[in-house]
Amino acid sequence: MARTTSKWMTRRLLVVLAVVALAATACSGGDADTTTSATTGTTETTGTTGGGSSLGGTGQGAGVGVPALAVALQQFDQCDALLGWLHAEAVDRVGPYGFDSGPYPWIARSGTDDVAFEAPATTFTAAADGADFAASEEAGGGFSTTNVQEAGVDEPDIVKTDGQWLFILSENKLSVVAASSRTPTVVDTLVFEDVYPQNMLLNGDRLYVLGNHYLEDVVPMERLGIPASAQDLFVIAEVIVGDDGLLSEAGRLEISGGYVTARKVGQGARIVLRHDASRSLPFVFPGGQHAEETALEANRQAVLNSTIEDWFPWYRLVTADGNESGGMLPSCDRVTAPQEFSGMSTVSVLTLDMSAPLTAGDTMTLFGAADTIYASTSSLYAATYTYPPVVLFGEEGVVSEGDPDPDFTSAIHQFDISDLAGATYVASGAVPGHLLNQFAMSEYEGHVRVATTEGSPWWCCEGPESVSSVFVLRAQDGELVTVGSVGDLGLGEQIFGVRFVGDVGYVVTFRQTDPLYVIDLRDPAAPAVTGELKITGYSSYLHPISDDFVLGIGQEATLEGRTIGTKVSLFDVSDPTNPLEVDRWVLEQSSSPVEWDHKAFLYWEPQNLAVVPVDSWRGEQFGAVALAVGDGSLAERARIALGPVAQTGPPPGCEIVDTGDLGLSEDSELFWILEEGASFLRCDEGSARTLPGHYCESLENFGFPAEDLSAFGVPQDVVDDLVGGDASFDVCWPEGGFDRQVRRSVVVGDVLWTIGYRTVQSNDLATLQPLGTVGL
């Protein structure tokens, strides 16, 4: 049973995430004035607002004095004070290329030393740490839950279960599979024609499907009151699950900006979003070097003419009964900014109560990028990077030699999320270096531990040898103060894996061999390395099995550091002064998604069973390995492969167009695409645009409107026959083994469920033999 959500927008959104940070001194202010509140629509008289306290002194790093950044946040009471601060900060920083530095984004122009270096965003997704098996037992005892970093802090995923149903996101569909049956059956499917779902949260009978809109034109943006200069558009679709497993969309919250990640503690969901104000401002760009002065003046005027609504994300809320509301997402008194200017982009923490129908919730917004997000049950931490500009244009626009300064720092902002009414700012601090991912932060007994690597960034240049450290910070009077640290970890190496477990930390660094460091954190003021183990390869994901054993999943490597295949290591850490690798499992010429996506890993404690997806392109082995974990041993129980699905043709409403009927000439781009073995799929509006065994992408991705087939060399009379109605066209490529990859594993009762891109398979938990397979 499949249905399609209403057509809100139909073009795929390409999200571009940028890391923007500026190193300069901020000023604030704003004269008393009368303004209209963007959130209430009322008129109010406002005055200037003061900022928070500036940080001073030094924080002690790994034996080295580290200057503390002025990262404490200032907050604004009224909109006019906030707008005055924005005008003052932005007008002197905008250039002829907007807030960029020109055609080379990492190069600051001569004469504008305070223009920031913009680093390319990391391609890593913000990931959570490994599952605590206790969370599975607490969640119901008979089924596993999402692999999370902290017990009690749920994380969004592509698969969720309540023990009765499996909820699975696949392409643009949300499917329900009856998990109470040993034979898989798809109960219902909800198709999102206009949204690309990324992941979801589950609370009782309510799902939040989190994704991005397909934007066909600027009308939806104008409907939100946003200038037509193409913002990203993020969506939260509220889906209600009936007692019979049937799905219905009950509401939708559209927000201008990009999705970062989400967390759920109890009934409260915290959605973290990015927003780039420069994409809403009518900036102009010079056609040549001599037009820069004109463009600069125009862009300065655009800043001074901007209103408060130009700088922040907007929202539109639509309920199931058709009621609409909208406005600026944060109220002005919920906006904060570091004392040290940190860029014109913002990160917002949206708080929603999942026990009630969807609303616009409460939003706290911070100026700056959000590179890494970590949450405990009471706090959320946003880590941002600052990069000083060091490369300048020389005479005649010639680029001078040199590399960006590798000595960057990470600012860390702490928010209290214990109140479902909304997040509140607690404190800020700074540590040298960069964080691998959210594994690198952990809160314990009032302290936050942070693991970083200093040295040349991964994307450029030669510089000082890299070295890693662990810092312990504590909030004091609005400042995250470094109270202790331990350094000199992995000289010349990078951190590949981190796990904090109570008062013990495990850090893996790698270049040629894998030092596993055991760190004693019982005394926050004096953390110390107690043990070190050097072996070949590395572990990028660490999962505690007990107080005595830790599993590591990563890559085996040669003595020279060349990786050779998936490696699962069992570490005995019962003696923190002498960690040992007591057993290992290796599959050469393979990789595991667990290396970069912890949620792909399953550990089922009742049977001491670890399930690790593995993909071997050369060996054509796809699926998962099931390992029995004993006291000091690993034993392979089975290799699980997804079985074939009967459906091989396109779904209802779609047809494969015979390429011979397109009348293409051999010089047509589409001719050569189809000659490479792709299929041409035509689908009516509302149809599930998929083809089993294929990866499909819209013709729009090739640079032309999907309906303009003549741009691809299709004769007009053929176009007239094909385009009727609101048909869409996709090019579908054979996936090879791609569709046989296992993305998730879930235990419900006595069944192990393995989920692929378009396939769900049930396996007997005792024997691991397949029981049945169904397509999505």
Side-chain angles (χ1 to χ4, degrees), residues 570-630:
L570 181 62
F571 298 109
D572 184 338
V573 293
S574 57
D575 180 357
T577 67
N578 184 34
L580 301 171
E581 184 186 44
V582 292
D583 206 352
R584 64 177 186 166
W585 178 91
V586 175
L587 179 63
E588 294 188 1
Q589 299 178 345
S590 72
S591 63
S592 172
V594 178
E595 296 175 38
W596 56 87
D597 182 1
H598 69 287
K599 298 172 189 176
F601 176 78
L602 168 68
Y603 182 70
W604 184 237
E605 191 271 341
Q607 292 194 4
N608 297 318
L609 179 69
V611 182
V612 181
V614 287
D615 303 318
S616 176
W617 297 97
R618 181 171 296 183
E620 289 298 307
Q621 298 182 54
F622 304 96
V625 60
L627 300 171
V629 183

Side-chain angles (χ1 to χ4, degrees), residues 449-682:
R449 292 80 63 90
V450 184
T452 68
T453 296
E454 299 174 73
S456 298
W458 60 269
W459 41 265
C460 80
C461 42
E462 295 182 1
E465 277 196 298
S466 58
V467 65
S468 299
S469 307
V470 172
F471 300 90
V472 182
L473 297 88
R474 186 178 182 89
Q476 298 179 8
D477 300 324
E479 180 180 352
L480 281 174
V481 179
T482 299
V483 298
S485 63
V486 59
D488 295 330
L489 306 179
L491 185 64
E493 301 177 339
Q494 300 280 333
I495 290 179
F496 270 62
V498 184
R499 184 65 188 259
F500 294 100
V501 184
D503 54 15
V504 180
Y506 303 101
V507 176
V508 172
T509 62
F510 178 74
R511 185 174 64 182
Q512 287 181 303
T513 57
D514 167 10
L516 169 68
Y517 295 97
V518 181
I519 301 173
D520 183 353
L521 296 162
R522 288 175 295 178
D523 183 355
V529 174
T530 59
E532 176 183 345
L533 171 65
K534 285 194 174 183
I535 55 176
T536 55
Y538 62 83
S539 297
S540 53
Y541 173 66
L542 297 169
H543 189 94
I545 299 301
S546 66
D547 291 340
D548 295 335
F549 293 98
V550 172
L551 271 179
I553 295 92
Q555 283 282 308
E556 178 62 293
T558 65
L559 291 174
E560 294 74 30
R562 180 177 62 84
T563 57
I564 59 176
T566 303
K567 178 182 181 181
V568 180
S569 298
L570 181 62
F571 298 109
D572 184 338
V573 293
S574 57
D575 180 357
T577 67
N578 184 34
L580 301 171
E581 184 186 44
V582 292
D583 206 352
R584 64 177 186 166
W585 178 91
V586 175
L587 179 63
E588 294 188 1
Q589 299 178 345
S590 72
S591 63
S592 172
V594 178
E595 296 175 38
W596 56 87
D597 182 1
H598 69 287
K599 298 172 189 176
F601 176 78
L602 168 68
Y603 182 70
W604 184 237
E605 191 271 341
Q607 292 194 4
N608 297 318
L609 179 69
V611 182
V612 181
V614 287
D615 303 318
S616 176
W617 297 97
R618 181 171 296 183
E620 289 298 307
Q621 298 182 54
F622 304 96
V625 60
L627 300 171
V629 183
D631 286 342
S633 66
L634 291 173
E636 180 178 319
R637 283 189 55 188
R639 296 190 187 183
I640 301 169
L642 295 176
V645 178
Q647 180 186 4
T648 57
C654 297
E655 63 174 334
I656 299 175
V657 179
D658 190 325
T659 55
D661 295 339
L662 292 175
L664 296 171
S665 62
E666 292 189 4
D667 58 354
S668 165
E669 178 184 7
L670 188 57
F671 176 86
W672 290 106
I673 291 173
L674 299 177
E675 279 288 296
E676 291 294 318
S679 297
F680 193 59
L681 189 69
R682 177 195 182 279

Side-chain angles (χ1 to χ4, degrees), residues 3 234 281 339 443 497 661 722:
R3 298 181 313 289
F234 167 71
L281 298 174
Q339 293 285 346
E443 185 184 78
D661 295 339
L722 290 175

Side-chain angles (χ1 to χ4, degrees), residues 742-759:
V742 171
R743 299 200 295 168
R744 295 293 185 268
S745 301
V746 178
V747 170
V748 179
D750 60 355
V751 175
L752 171 67
W753 297 86
T754 47
I755 297 106
Y757 284 90
R758 297 190 185 93
T759 305

Side-chain angles (χ1 to χ4, degrees), residues 93-228:
R93 289 181 169 86
V94 72
Y97 298 90
F99 292 123
D100 292 334
S101 303
Y104 304 96
W106 58 89
I107 299 173
R109 291 173 14 264
S110 178
T112 54
D113 293 342
D114 58 349
V115 174
F117 154 59
E118 296 187 13
T122 175
T123 57
F124 292 117
T125 301
D129 205 344
D132 215 329
F133 59 76
S136 298
E137 294 180 342
E138 293 169 2
F143 59 93
S144 62
T145 55
T146 299
N147 208 8
V148 298
Q149 176 172 2
E150 300 285 0
V153 183
D154 193 21
E155 305 196 12
D157 200 7
I158 56 175
V159 176
K160 290 288 183 180
T161 186
D162 59 2
Q164 180 180 8
W165 312 108
L166 284 173
F167 305 101
I168 303 167
L169 289 176
S170 176
E171 296 179 315
N172 64 331
K173 304 186 298 296
L174 171 61
S175 299
V176 182
V177 172
S180 56
S181 170
R182 289 171 61 84
T183 302
T185 302
V186 177
V187 175
D188 197 11
T189 298
L190 189 62
V191 179
F192 297 93
E193 183 186 351
D194 54 346
V195 175
Y196 180 76
Q198 293 189 21
N199 46 44
M200 58 186 161
L201 291 170
L202 171 65
N203 188 74
D205 63 353
R206 179 173 281 108
L207 285 159
Y208 282 173
V209 177
L210 312 173
N212 297 308
H213 271 291
Y214 300 138
L215 298 181
E216 188 171 54
D217 49 44
V218 299
V219 174
M221 309 308 294
E222 293 171 345
R223 181 181 65 209
L224 284 169
I226 303 168

Side-chain angles (χ1 to χ4, degrees), residues 73-410:
L73 301 184
Q74 53 186 320
Q75 198 155 347
F76 303 89
D77 295 330
Q78 304 293 348
C79 290
D80 66 334
L82 176 57
L83 183 60
W85 177 85
L86 283 165
H87 284 176
E89 294 291 350
V91 72
D92 290 333
R93 289 181 169 86
V94 72
Y97 298 90
F99 292 123
D100 292 334
S101 303
Y104 304 96
W106 58 89
I107 299 173
R109 291 173 14 264
S110 178
T112 54
D113 293 342
D114 58 349
V115 174
F117 154 59
E118 296 187 13
T122 175
T123 57
F124 292 117
T125 301
D129 205 344
D132 215 329
F133 59 76
S136 298
E137 294 180 342
E138 293 169 2
F143 59 93
S144 62
T145 55
T146 299
N147 208 8
V148 298
Q149 176 172 2
E150 300 285 0
V153 183
D154 193 21
E155 305 196 12
D157 200 7
I158 56 175
V159 176
K160 290 288 183 180
T161 186
D162 59 2
Q164 180 180 8
W165 312 108
L166 284 173
F167 305 101
I168 303 167
L169 289 176
S170 176
E171 296 179 315
N172 64 331
K173 304 186 298 296
L174 171 61
S175 299
V176 182
V177 172
S180 56
S181 170
R182 289 171 61 84
T183 302
T185 302
V186 177
V187 175
D188 197 11
T189 298
L190 189 62
V191 179
F192 297 93
E193 183 186 351
D194 54 346
V195 175
Y196 180 76
Q198 293 189 21
N199 46 44
M200 58 186 161
L201 291 170
L202 171 65
N203 188 74
D205 63 353
R206 179 173 281 108
L207 285 159
Y208 282 173
V209 177
L210 312 173
N212 297 308
H213 271 291
Y214 300 138
L215 298 181
E216 188 171 54
D217 49 44
V218 299
V219 174
M221 309 308 294
E222 293 171 345
R223 181 181 65 209
L224 284 169
I226 303 168
S229 54
Q231 278 281 354
D232 300 334
L233 201 61
F234 167 71
V235 65
I236 302 172
E238 179 189 23
V239 177
I240 301 299
V241 185
D243 293 339
D244 53 3
L246 300 184
L247 304 171
S248 60
E249 185 173 346
R252 194 175 277 202
L253 182 62
E254 298 171 323
I255 302 171
S256 60
Y259 171 58
V260 179
T261 188
R263 297 291 183 270
K264 186 176 83 72
V265 178
Q267 312 286 352
R270 313 286 175 164
I271 316 294
V272 184
L273 305 167
R274 280 193 180 105
H275 181 267
D276 183 4
S278 66
R279 297 179 64 186
S280 296
L281 298 174
F283 287 147
V284 298
F285 302 96
Q289 187 175 1
H290 298 294
E292 285 192 355
E293 193 62 35
T294 301
L296 173 61
E297 199 56 41
N299 291 342
R300 285 177 174 169
Q301 196 60 48
V303 167
L304 293 174
N305 291 340
S306 65
T307 65
I308 195 70
E309 292 86 357
D310 293 321
W311 294 93
F312 299 101
W314 275 65
Y315 77 91
R316 174 176 177 262
L317 175 66
V318 181
T319 59
D321 55 10
N323 290 331
E324 291 191 25
S325 59
M328 199 170 81
L329 190 64
S331 59
C332 294
D333 62 354
R334 298 286 284 153
V335 175
T336 58
Q339 293 285 346
E340 180 170 295
F341 186 72
S342 60
M344 304 313 302
S345 62
T346 63
V347 55
S348 295
V349 181
L350 169 64
T351 299
L352 299 170
D353 183 357
M354 289 193 70
S355 66
L358 181 65
T359 68
D362 173 84
T363 299
M364 167 154 277
T365 295
L366 163 69
F367 273 92
D371 305 295
T372 305
I373 301 295
Y374 161 79
S376 67
T377 55
S378 60
S379 298
L380 184 143
Y381 294 84
T384 68
Y385 305 150
T386 58
Y387 302 85
V390 296
V391 184
L392 304 176
F393 276 120
E395 297 295 328
E396 305 280 327
V398 177
V399 179
S400 63
E401 304 219 349
D403 288 324
D405 189 338
D407 296 327
F408 49 88
T409 58
S410 295

